[in-house]
Amino acid sequence: MSLSLTRDCATTSITNILATFYCRFRRNYMSENFAPLSISQEAVAEAKAFNKEMTEQLRALPDPWSFPPTVTRERRLQGLGAFPIPTYSEQAEDLEIEGQHGSIPLRLFKADKNSSKGVIIHFHGGGFVFGSASFQDPYLESMANNTGLDVVSVEYRLAPEHPFPQGSDDCEAACHWVLNEGASQYGWDAFALTGESAGATLALTTAVRLRDKHGMIPFKALVLLSGWYDIGLTPSARLWGEEVLFPTTRDLQMFRRHFLLGEENAEDPAVSPLYARLEGLPPTLLSVGTEDPLLDDTCFLASRLKSAEVETSLEVYPHGCHVFQSFDLALAKLSTQRIDSFFRTKFGST
């Protein structure tokens, strides 16, 4: 998959104006920071082999859109999709808070040693349609233990049963609870946001919401993995096509259709944070793989954050698939180490 955007840069849509800016950005900042550090050929070869195996596995599965979302969610619980049966942590504590649309379950992971009294708020991925706060327990448990920070994962409402803005409202309500009642109950005095895929979208839109609606920038760090920042689709998402390595262009279009059941504009900053004002946001780590249809989303966002004078770290992993951190790969281990280190540094615990 080529990173060249020459043809796209020649068009006049807003997205492709961003592409032009990215071309300029890539020659400068990205040329020096394309990968986080030296990545072994063995790790790259492993990622390539994994992508090939995953593609073959996905080809053998039924079309996920031939089922209602409720059925696909149940198949995920049974390990009948691309992912194994979820592994649940005994370290997790289930909580429940109230929000605008009703109760919101939370999943809390307490750090082994929490001297900083910090907490990371996490939003899961799944295209706003799938996923759960309990589907990445090992990852979040490890994050808590390796950073010395508590982690709270949010079970926000999913589309199409609960279309925009209900999931976004839940994420905002969860942040308010963490910043107020949760802080009082658990002694938290420092905060961060993270998410992957649609969860990264929600993390960014929530940070912007809190800034714009409440004048709050309470976070020490944002860590955003493989985010979807233009729901209208950036060039890499549009051109990905039906390449089976998930998500396909059709998958993204279906997610958008379920998420935006009304007349919402896909370029509304509340939906697509690539179009939001980004000034004043906290230091941000962006991570993405080159075999991800949302590659442009991350690279475009990096350029916009840099232009807004936000401290930005961009890490692009060769041959990493979408949210490759979810799999047992050397690239994933390197990335999670970098994420943990970023949190420790920004919380002053290194």
Side-chain angles (χ1 to χ4, degrees):
M1 181 169 56
S2 174
L3 288 175
S4 174
L5 294 174
T6 303
R7 181 179 62 183
D8 300 305
C9 291
T11 64
T12 59
S13 71
I14 293 176
T15 296
N16 290 317
I17 290 172
L18 288 171
T20 303
F21 189 77
Y22 167 54
C23 290
R24 202 173 298 129
F25 166 77
R26 178 172 171 246
R27 285 194 298 270
N28 300 307
Y29 177 79
M30 196 173 168
S31 63
E32 298 177 1
N33 298 274
F34 186 74
L37 44 76
S38 178
I39 297 175
S40 71
Q41 290 302 310
E42 290 79 9
V44 172
E46 179 191 38
K48 288 182 179 179
F50 174 84
N51 293 344
K52 181 179 179 181
E53 180 182 349
M54 177 63 76
T55 298
E56 292 171 354
Q57 181 181 349
L58 290 169
R59 283 202 181 102
L61 294 173
D63 178 3
W65 302 109
S66 64
F67 307 105
T70 52
V71 174
T72 302
R73 293 172 195 147
E74 183 60 33
R75 288 174 57 84
R76 168 70 175 92
L77 287 171
Q78 299 171 9
L80 297 178
F83 299 90
I85 295 174
T87 300
Y88 302 109
S89 169
E90 295 181 356
Q91 184 177 326
E93 176 184 350
D94 290 320
L95 308 173
E96 191 171 275
I97 64 171
E98 286 300 314
Q100 179 179 345
H101 306 288
S103 62
I104 306 169
L106 306 178
R107 202 155 172 83
L108 170 63
F109 298 83
K110 295 286 291 179
D112 288 341
K113 297 178 181 179
N114 193 351
S115 58
S116 71
K117 294 295 183 182
V119 62
I120 301 166
I121 305 167
H122 168 264
F123 303 131
H124 68 80
F128 310 106
V129 176
F130 304 122
S132 170
S134 62
F135 282 4
Q136 46 280 310
D137 278 10
Y139 170 69
L140 298 180
E141 179 181 314
S142 175
M143 179 182 291
N145 292 335
N146 291 334
T147 62
L149 304 166
D150 293 346
V151 179
V152 173
S153 191
V154 180
E155 194 74 83
Y156 58 85
R157 283 167 173 75
L158 298 176
E161 298 92 336
H162 305 282
F164 176 83
Q166 293 190 43
S168 301
D169 292 341
D170 285 349
C171 293
E172 181 182 349
C175 285
H176 280 296
W177 180 86
V178 169
L179 293 166
N180 295 285
E181 291 93 332
S184 177
Q185 181 176 347
Y186 293 97
W188 298 321
D189 59 12
F191 311 92
L193 277 178
T194 189
E196 62 277 348
S197 192
T201 314
L202 291 167
L204 183 54
T205 56
T206 300
V208 171
R209 269 188 173 209
L210 292 176
R211 181 200 65 190
D212 292 348
K213 290 175 61 177
H214 307 286
M216 301 169 59
I217 306 177
F219 305 111
K220 286 184 173 291
L222 286 176
V223 172
L224 308 176
L225 313 181
S226 301
W228 187 12
Y229 309 118
D230 182 357
I231 305 302
L233 303 187
T234 56
S236 63
R238 292 172 185 265
L239 298 173
W240 189 256
E242 294 311 301
E243 173 66 39
V244 183
L245 192 60
F246 65 92
T248 66
T249 299
R250 176 173 171 244
D251 289 335
L252 295 168
Q253 292 167 339
M254 292 297 289
F255 288 143
R256 179 178 62 201
R257 182 183 304 175
H258 284 73
F259 184 51
L260 302 180
L261 291 184
E263 298 299 322
E264 293 83 2
N265 181 353
E267 293 181 1
D268 183 343
V271 172
S272 296
L274 186 63
Y275 299 95
R277 290 189 308 103
L278 302 174
E279 290 80 8
L281 293 181
T284 301
L285 171 63
L286 302 172
S287 179
V288 70
T290 60
E291 299 302 316
D292 187 335
L294 300 179
L295 172 63
D296 281 354
D297 289 65
T298 289
C299 293
F300 292 178
L301 180 62
S303 68
R304 293 223 55 234
L305 287 167
K306 295 282 287 184
S307 295
E309 299 185 351
V310 175
E311 180 185 328
T312 305
S313 299
L314 170 63
E315 298 188 350
V316 182
Y317 289 78
H319 298 283
C321 66
H322 185 63
V323 195
F324 63 90
Q325 294 88 352
S326 301
F327 304 101
D328 185 18
L329 296 167
L331 283 185
K333 293 181 177 64
L334 173 60
S335 177
T336 54
Q337 288 170 2
R338 301 277 295 178
I339 291 166
D340 293 344
S341 176
F342 186 82
F343 278 130
R344 289 194 300 268
T345 298
K346 298 310 173 187
F347 277 81
S349 55
T350 55

